[in-house]
Each structure stands twice: as C-alpha cells, then as structure tokens.
C-alpha cells in the first residue's frame, strides 16, 4: 500500500470519526434543548351566567343594637353601620340582637342562624366568630342592595376555615414617579419604606402611625370580605438571634440587633391588632433569609450554608421562639424556597434572601426543624411548594412524584402546604394543579386576584367560574384541603405595570371582584358566582338593575378576551418543554408586558400552531375574536345611561380600561398575524406568506406607534414594552435582503471551489487566482499536499489565498447576523485572529502558505454550508430550522461540527510536513488555546451576563426580557465562572501546545 493510499484512508477514517462526533454533538444539543409538547388537560368551568338582578332594596336604619361589647364585634358593627350610611336611601328601621353561646371561641365554628323579620333581626351564634360573620353578612347584603330578610335561616359553617390574604398595598406609597418609566421589574413592594430609617432610632413615628391606620383599614376591609388570616412580610428583620447556639450572631455594638428590636417594637402593635380582630398573622419569608452577620455566623459554624445539616436550622428556630415569646399574637411562619435574590431585596437594609434550599434533604431538614418548633410553641408552619428549577425540589409544585419525594412522610399537625391552583404560575390555559389532590399534609390553595401575567389586573378578568370549578374539583379529591390564600395585590413586579394599589390608587375595584368571589367560594364552594358578580357590580358601580346586568354580562365575556387575546390558543393549550423547564403558555409576552421578538419562542409557537387543527389561520383568528369580545363588552357597559352609574369617575374608569384593552388587543392581534405569517414564510418559502407578513408588519408598526403615542407615560394604562418586538421586526425586515446576499456569496464561494477543483485540467490554471483556488481545494481536502500545492504561486495568488477565505468568513458571519451583531463578530473574529497569530508566530521563518491554504480552504467549505442554510429565507429561516426541525438541525450540526474540527486537523496535517507531527500538533493546540482563552477572558472581565445580554439583544434568539428580569445565566443555570473556566482550559491548551511545539533533543544526540 502506497503512502498516498494510506493517507487517503486515514483522511476518510478521520472524516467518518469527525462526522460521528458531530452527530453526537447534534444529539447532545437536541437533548439539551429538549423541545417537546404534550396536550394539557384544560379546566372545565361552567359558562358565565348573568344573574337576574332585582331592583335595589334600601336598607333600614339600625334603630338598636344588642351585641357583645368586644372590639372584634364592634369593628363588625362599624362595617354594618357604614354600609347603611353609604346607601343612597334608607327605608324603615330595624333592630339587631345577638344571642351568643358562652364558652371558648372556635374560629372554625362560624355557622349561625338569623331569625326574626325585616324590622327585628336576631342572630343566634355559637361563638364570637359566628356572631362576627353574621354581622358582616348583613353589611354585605346592605352594600349589595339586597333585602336583609333574604338572609333569614340557618347558615352552615364555612367550608374552608382558613382564608388568608396577602398584605395588599399596606405601607406602599403611591408615588407616580416610581411608575412612570414602566421598566422597574423589582418584586420588592417597598412596603413601609417611609417608616424605616437607616440610622437610630430606625423608625419614623409619624410614618408608622400612618402605616398603622393603613393596616387597620386593610384589616377591616379584609374581614368584611370574609378573610381571617394575613401574611405579613419579614422575619429576620425582627430577630436578634440572642439565643442562637454558638452565638452571638451580632457582636457587641452591631446595630443589627438594635434595628431588630426597634422594628419588632414598631410592628408588634400591627400583629396584636390583627389578633384582636380575629385575624391570624403569619410572617412571610424566603429561605434562606439572611443578614450579613447571620450569613457569616452560619458559614463560620458549618463551613458553608449547609442547609442539609439539621443543626443548621437551630438558629432559625431559636429566632422563631424568640419572636413568639416576645409577641404571642403571631401565629406562625410562611416559607418560600423557590425564588430569592436581589429582585426581592430592598436597598439600604442588610436583609436579603438566597436560593440555597435546593435539595430534598435540605427541605426535609428545614421542615422537620420548623415543624418541631411549631408543635412545641403551638404555632403553624405554612410551606409553599412554589419552586422553579431542575430536580425533585425544582418541580415539586407541578410533579406528583417530586411532591412525594420532598414531602412524603412529613405529617406534622403543625404543617400546612400551600400550592397554586394552576399547574404552574397564574396563567390561563394551565391545567388544574393535581399535586393539590395528594399528600397527607394539611393543604391550602393559592389564588391571585390581580393577575400579574394578564396585565396586572388592568383588564376586566372575571375568574369566578374558574375558581369555583377548581375548588370543587380539589375538595372532591382531597379532604385535607382547609383553606385558601388570596393575593389581593402581590405577585410579579410592583412598578412595571399600572399604578393600581389595593384600596388606595388606580382601578383596584376591577380585580376586587376576584378577591370577593374567592372568599365567597371558600365559605361555600357552591355559591352562585354570577350573583357574587352582581353584588360586586352593585356595590361599586350602580344600583340600576339594567346597568348591573350589563356589567355582569361584560365581565362574563372578559375571560374569552383574555384567553384569546393574550394567548395563542394552539400553543397555550399544550404543555411545552424546553431546556429542562416548562415554559408558560404565554411566552410571546415575556414577561408581564414585554412583547417578545426572539426566534426561539416565536418559531416554536408557529410550528405548534401550524400542526394544530385549523393551522395558522385558526391561530390568527383568535386575535380577532378577542377584539370582538372587548368591543361587545364596551357596548354592554356604555349602553345604559351614564346617569345610572353611581359616579361618573367609576364609569370613566371602566370605559377607559376597555378602550385600553381594545387598543392593546388590536396591537397584539396584528403582531400575532405578523409573527405567524413570518414563520409560514420560513417554513413554506411561499411568496404569498411573505407578502402577508409584510402587510401585517405595516399594520403592526402603525398600531404600535398609536399605542405608544396614546399610552406611554400613562400610569393607569401603561403602554406595553415593544422594544424586543421592534428589534424582531428590524431583523425580519432584513431577512430577504440577507437571503439574496447569501445567494450571491454562495455563487462566489461555489465558483471559487469549482475553479479549485477543475483548474488543473482546464485553461483556467493560467488565469490569476486559479492557482490560489486550486491550492485552497487541495490543501483543505488533502492537507498532506498543502505544501506542494502552494509552491511556485505568484504574489497575487498568495494574497488571494488569504483574502478570499477571510473576506468570505467576514461576509458570511455578517450576513448570518443580519449586520446587527457586532458582538458576535468581535468574538468570532477575535478567536480566529488569536489562532492565526499564534500559529503564524510558531511557523516563524518557514512558509506560512501551506497552513493558510489548508485553513482557508476549510473555512470556505464551512462558509458554503452556512450560506446554503441562510440562502432560503435569510438568518430568520436559518434559526427557524434550528428551533423547529430536528432532522435539519441534526444534519447541520453534524456537518458544521465536523468541518469546524477539520480546520484544525487540516492545519496540523499541513504543518506536519514542515515541522513533524508532534510540533505541528503543538502549533495547532497553542493556536486553539489562545483562540479560546483571550475572548473568554474578555467576556469574563465584561461579565458573562452582560456579554450574553448584549449578544442576545443583537441576535434575538432568547426572550429579550429574560436578561432584564431573571437573567440569562440564572434562568439557564449557567455558572458565572464559565468564561473563566473556558479561559483556563484555553490556557492549558496553550501551554500544552507550546510544550509540544518546542524542539526536543534526543538524549543520545545531547550526550554526543
């Protein structure tokens, strides 16, 4: 066998190995993406109904009251008297008499009987709790303008005894300046920011007094709505940790201790007031909750934040005991482990959270410690299953097996497990969370009134039928269900949407409906939700039956407007999985108010819509259906005479929010059509699809300009954030031009390749550049002949041998990025430049043309592959295939990877004829190491998150909002040290390459 034959066989084997490695890389990428779908079992709430609304009944004046003289009953009576006073008129008089059994009060025994008639009402109650409920029911009937005798009869105890609310907007200052920018995605409420002071005495007494009145008003309103517990934010802020084992945590003179005592003294009256009124108080905290000295104490004691060590939690349980001893009014603690970090922290105070409880052992160690302490102190621990991530703890919120792995066997009577009713976050189209149907623990259901992902409650959004169906299903499946936790205000960023603050600013009455219906369902899951809606409409908007019916009918259509207008049904009704996570059913709005323009989401969304019943056009039609629904809602609300409304301001608020929703959903409908027709063009290459996209684009841009002009800076109706969408449009507008440029470059590169292949057998060999093309072809496919292929070349051919591949590489990468990503080009060309410089330095006085011919030739082949992929419909089509077609993705990655590695194999092979195999390998390894190390180090200096954000903004691959809200590295769990690890690996290759490149003398030669 000749040497040429052996080399040819080796080349073929090498090619096969590289293709196999490329196929392996493609499989790994496909597995990492993990893009798949499965049908989602949709909730099946009853169709919305409109209750028959009777004429308003004027309440009687309360002529006499014979009730227990307790503060709790007195506050309930205040609500009844206020309701009567607020009525437009009063007819007749009535007395209210309470017959209450003596003995210990049972908070769960709130059933009562109302006897008598319209002029003399007698409440027969077995406990103070029952008495208070009866009085609040009378007040609610008055506000709903319903006759009080309708309440006569026996009233069963509430089905769910624990009805908890968040803190609403208590302590939050409605400062318009903080909402004007609309891009503050912090989740910190800044509650009590006016109360807290960084220096002693740490508390502003005047602001504290105002906050107390704010809190008292919130308690009164929540009690009237039917709630009996409140989640109050904070924990470590109120603890000195004086009794922490191995302490002290705070050294002498540390102001953390003084602050804790000051804050505890300031807020203890809040908790005691809640207790006085029959409201349980749970301190709401993330775990780990830390201060600087506390973190140092824990690290010194355990070597790290070792949350799996049972003794680690002793400091926290000691802190809870300290609090409970100091303030007996506290009823327990509410813990979340699934979210933490700076997005929740408040500047200026050394208290923060860390995402450290991430393993099954850590969760179980924490809960065993906390429940043990709770049992000993007669308190309760509410543990939220909300978590985001990989593994049993990461998906225990949605995975029945993970729930059991984390919580199975923990059956403390002091433990209550709290879970969102949706299988994920509070989105429409998600299935019912079936993990609420399992477990031996006590359970409560989380509900959100001000739906954060559906424009923060700024649109009408009647969740009554859905709440009812969900609670009825869960109660039938799990007899351990005992309560609800209703978020009246919280969830998501506080200042990125409308400045609607519960009970104090904006059109909060709109989402008050969901709060009231949730409390009503917790008491009686079979309640007529249409009647609850009518009562809400009558309380806040009008006494006129026709107007109330119109509002109820409009609210009945609100869910269709949300479900179709803010979601793309074929995508939303599927469970979609990607990169080890389950993206939510919205995604094209990521998150909250950012209309996304990234290819990953929009291309996958199109592919799912394409394959669904009705295809793309059916998916597009949902936008028009939503617009029509809002138009009907507006007609309903504006049809009654304006004088029938209780106030012109409330009518204006309702009509304005419908105008805002109509404008927004028209914008979203145009965008939906545009992105789906864009995907259709990439998929089918049909000119008609491109023409449809272009028409949609023009409509979207016109509507976007109108939307921004009308609503930008409006703190009640804020404009959507269209930055990412406009970047996506800019990229899409360049696709066709880039496709034509790719075709031109493809012809040029193909001609160069063809000339190289046939030049030796034609007269072309005498033409300028033919020898360079021939050398490039030979060196790239048979690198052992690189040296001979470059012998005798003219100066022009040599420069063409360098210039053509380099220019083609620059042009290809520029076209591939639509001339928009200079970050991408800088990294790619920086890496190539470092490789070339190091290899050139190693070659020294030897001829560089063989290795240049080999590398340049393979670069041309690699560019041909990329240009071919881009030539159909531009870079957008390239990424469309990557995200949606596993076969094309696998084929492309296989070839691209093989050619990429072949560059370096060919370079080493070409050099080996000049310096030998060992030193040639060293040259290449040194070049590769430098090519990795220098760009990676630059990225490390800049910061990985910053670099990825800049690159993604230019490329538009992942949601633009990802970096602004969660952080790309955080969401994808990419360690911040990654660039430095890459730089270190590159440095190792560089050193290894240098060692191999050095001339080695044999011992025998040295001795002689």
């Amino acid at each position: 066998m000749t040497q040429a034959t052996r080399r040819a066989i080796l080349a073929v084997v090498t090619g096969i190995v590289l293709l196999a490695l490329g196929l392996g890389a493609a499989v790994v990428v496909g597995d990492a993406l993990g893009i798949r779908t499965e049908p989602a079992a949709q909730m099946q709430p009853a169709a919305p109904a409109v209750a028959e609304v009777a004429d308003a009944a004027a309440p009687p004046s309360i002529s006499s009251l014979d009730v227990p003289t307790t503060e709790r009953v007195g506050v309930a009576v205040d609500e009844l008297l206020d309701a009567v006073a607020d009525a437009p008129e009063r007819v007749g008089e009535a007395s209210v008499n309470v017959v209450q059994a003596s003995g210990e009060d049972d908070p769960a025994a709130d059933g009562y009987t109302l006897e008598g008639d319209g002029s003399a009402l007698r409440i027969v109650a077995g406990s103070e709790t029952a008495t208070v409920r009866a009085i609040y029911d009378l007040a609610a009937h008055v506000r709903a303008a319903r006759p009080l005798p309708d309440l006569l009869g026996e009233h069963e105890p509430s089905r769910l005894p624990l009805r908890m609310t968040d803190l609403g907007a208590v302590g939050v200052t409605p400062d318009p300046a903080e909402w004007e920018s609309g891009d503050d995605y912090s989740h910190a409420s800044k509650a009590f920011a006016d109360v807290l002071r960084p220096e002693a005495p740490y508390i502003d007494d005047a602001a504290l007094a105002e906050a107390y009145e704010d809190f008292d008003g919130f308690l009164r309103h929540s009690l009237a709505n039917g709630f009996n517990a409140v989640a109050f934010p904070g924990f470590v802020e109120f603890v000195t940790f004086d009794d922490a084992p191995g302490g002290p945590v705070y050294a002498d003179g540390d102001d953390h201790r003084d602050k804790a005592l000051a804050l505890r003294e300031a807020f203890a009256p809040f908790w005691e007031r809640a207790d006085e009124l029959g409201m349980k108080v749970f301190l709401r905290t993330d775990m780990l909750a830390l201060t600087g000295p506390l973190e140092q104490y824990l690290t010194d004691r355990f070597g790290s934040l070792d949350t799996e060590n049972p003794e680690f939690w002793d400091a926290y349980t000691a802190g809870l005991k300290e609090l409970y001893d100091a303030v007996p009014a506290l009823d327990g603690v509410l813990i979340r482990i699934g979210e933490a970090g700076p997005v929740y922290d408040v500047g200026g105070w050394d208290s923060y959270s860390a995402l450290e409880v991430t393993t099954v052992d850590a969760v179980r160690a924490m809960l065993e410690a906390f429940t043990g302490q709770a049992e000993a102190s007669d308190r309760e621990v509410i543990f939220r299953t909300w978590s985001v991530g990989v593994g049993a703890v990461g998906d225990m919120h949605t995975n029945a097996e993970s729930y059991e792995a984390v919580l199975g066997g923990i059956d403390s009577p002091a433990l209550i497990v709290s879970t969102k009713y949706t299988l994920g976050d509070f989105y429409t189209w998600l299935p019912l969370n079936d993990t609420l149907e399992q477990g031996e623990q006590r359970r409560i259901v989380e509900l959100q009134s001000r739906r954060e992902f559906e424009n923060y409650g700024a649109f009408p959004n009647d969740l009554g039928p859905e709440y009812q169906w969900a609670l009825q299903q869960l109660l039938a499946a799990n007899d351990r269900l005992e309560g609800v936790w209703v978020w009246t205000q919280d969830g998501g960023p506080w200042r990125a949407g409308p400045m609607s603050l519960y009970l104090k600013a904006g059109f909060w009455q709109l989402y008050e409906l969901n709060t009231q219906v949730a409390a009503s369902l917790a008491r009686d899951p079979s309640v007529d939700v249409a009647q609850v809606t009518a009562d809400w409409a009558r309380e806040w908007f009008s006494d006129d039956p026709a107007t109330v019916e119109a509002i109820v009918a409009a609210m009945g259509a609100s869910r269709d407007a949300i479900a179709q207008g803010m979601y793309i049904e074929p995508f939303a009704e599927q469970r979609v999985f990607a990169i080890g996570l389950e993206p939510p059913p919205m995604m094209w709005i990521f998150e909250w108010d950012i209309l996304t323009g990234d290819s990953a989401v929009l291309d996958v969304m199109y592919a799912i819509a394409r394959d669904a019943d009705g295809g793309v056009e059916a998916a597009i039609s949902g936008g028009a259906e939503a617009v029509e629904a809002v138009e009907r809602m507006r007609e309903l609300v504006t049809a009654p005479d304006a004088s029938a409304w209780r106030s012109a301001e409330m009518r204006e608020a309702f009509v304005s929010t419908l105008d805002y929703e109509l404008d927004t959903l028209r914008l979203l409908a145009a965008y939906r059509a545009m992105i789906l027709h864009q995907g259709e063009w990439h998929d089918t290459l049909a000119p008609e699809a491109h023409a449809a996209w272009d028409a949609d684009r023009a409509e979207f841009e016109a509507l976007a300009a109108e939307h921004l002009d009308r609503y930008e800076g409006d703190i009640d109706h804020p404009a959507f954030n269209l930055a990412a969408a406009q970047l996506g449009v800019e990229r899409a507008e360049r696709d066709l031009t880039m496709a034509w440029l790719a075709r031109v470059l493809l012809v040029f590169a193909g001609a160069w390749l063809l000339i190289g292949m046939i030049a030796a057998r034609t007269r072309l060999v005498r033409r300028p550049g033919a020898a360079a093309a021939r050398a490039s072809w030979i060196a790239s496919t048979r690198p052992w002949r690189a040296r001979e292929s470059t012998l005798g070349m003219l100066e022009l051919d040599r420069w063409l041998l360098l210039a053509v591949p380099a220019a083609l590489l620059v042009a290809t990468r520029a076209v591939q990025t639509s001339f928009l990503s200079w970050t991408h080009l800088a990294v790619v060309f920086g890496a190539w430049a470092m490789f070339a410089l190091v290899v050139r330095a190693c070659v020294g006085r030897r001829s560089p043309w063989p290795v240049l011919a080999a590398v340049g030739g393979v670069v041309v082949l690699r560019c041909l592959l990329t240009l071919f992929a881009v030539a159909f419909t531009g870079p957008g089509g390239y990424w469309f295939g990557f995200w949606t077609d596993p076969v094309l993705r696998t084929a492309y990655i296989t070839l691209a990877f093989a050619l990429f590695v072949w560059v370096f194999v060919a370079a080493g092979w070409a050099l080996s004829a000049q310096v030998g195999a060992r030193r040639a390998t060293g040259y290449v390894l040194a070049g590769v190491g430098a090519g990795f190390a220098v760009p990676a180090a630059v990225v490390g200096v800049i910061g990985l998150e910053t670099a990825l954000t800049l690159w993604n903004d230019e490329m538009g691959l992942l949601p633009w909002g990802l970096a602004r809200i969660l952080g790309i590295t955080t969401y994808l769990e990419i360690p911040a040290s990654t660039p430095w690890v890459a730089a270190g690996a590159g440095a190792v290759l560089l050193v290894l390459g240098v060692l191999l490149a050095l001339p080695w003398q044999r011992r025998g030669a040295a001795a002689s």
Side-chain angles (χ1 to χ4, degrees), residues 40-43 421-433 451 466 469 567 572-575 582-586:
Q42 297 299 310
M43 297 189 198
Y421 81 103
T422 45
L423 200 68
D425 217 332
F426 291 117
Y427 290 96
T428 301
W429 295 101
L430 286 177
L432 184 66
N433 195 334
R451 293 279 276 224
E466 183 171 301
W469 182 87
Y567 299 83
E573 66 182 358
Q574 299 285 321
R575 292 186 70 180
E582 186 174 350
M586 186 174 282

Side-chain angles (χ1 to χ4, degrees), residues 589-780:
I589 304 172
F590 187 97
E591 296 233 65
W592 299 294
D593 63 347
I594 300 174
L595 194 56
T596 197
D598 59 284
S599 62
V601 167
L602 301 184
D603 289 345
V604 171
M605 205 170 259
Y606 162 80
I608 293 172
R610 174 197 61 195
D611 297 336
D613 292 341
V616 170
E617 293 308 315
I620 290 174
S621 68
E625 292 173 12
V627 169
E628 291 171 3
V630 181
E631 289 173 339
R632 289 196 304 274
M633 292 165 65
R634 193 183 190 285
E635 290 173 2
L636 285 165
V637 169
T638 57
D641 191 275
S643 63
W645 287 69
R646 183 165 295 126
S647 78
E649 291 77 14
M650 293 300 285
R651 182 179 185 276
E652 173 60 23
F654 214 127
V655 175
S656 295
T657 202
L658 288 172
D659 288 340
Y660 173 49
E661 182 175 18
L662 187 59
D663 181 274
T664 303
L665 295 192
R666 281 174 176 160
L667 174 71
L668 294 179
Y671 191 69
R672 170 201 308 248
M674 182 188 75
I675 60 176
L676 291 176
H677 281 138
Q678 179 184 348
E680 187 175 29
W681 176 54
H682 291 318
D683 185 25
T684 66
L685 312 182
E688 298 82 2
H690 186 270
W693 164 81
D694 195 41
D696 297 332
R697 176 198 54 77
E699 182 180 5
F700 168 72
E701 289 183 331
L703 289 172
E706 293 175 8
H707 179 78
L708 294 175
D709 182 65
R710 184 173 182 180
Y711 292 113
E712 203 163 31
D714 186 336
I715 61 172
D716 294 317
H717 312 103
F720 266 48
N721 188 330
L722 305 182
Q726 289 165 336
L727 287 172
V729 170
E730 182 181 3
R731 285 187 292 269
E733 287 176 324
R734 298 188 179 203
D735 271 340
L736 189 56
T737 301
M738 295 303 109
W740 276 109
L741 287 175
R743 294 164 195 171
V744 171
L745 290 171
L746 191 61
V747 170
F748 173 78
W752 177 260
L753 184 65
L754 182 62
I755 291 170
M757 295 170 65
I758 67 173
R761 295 185 293 275
T762 66
R763 295 179 181 178
L764 285 172
V765 74
R766 301 188 185 93
R767 302 290 184 183
R774 179 175 179 273
S776 178
W777 166 249
I778 291 174
S780 64

Side-chain angles (χ1 to χ4, degrees), residues 822-833:
W822 303 112
T823 303
H824 183 87
L825 298 182
V827 172
V828 170
F829 298 150
W832 277 112

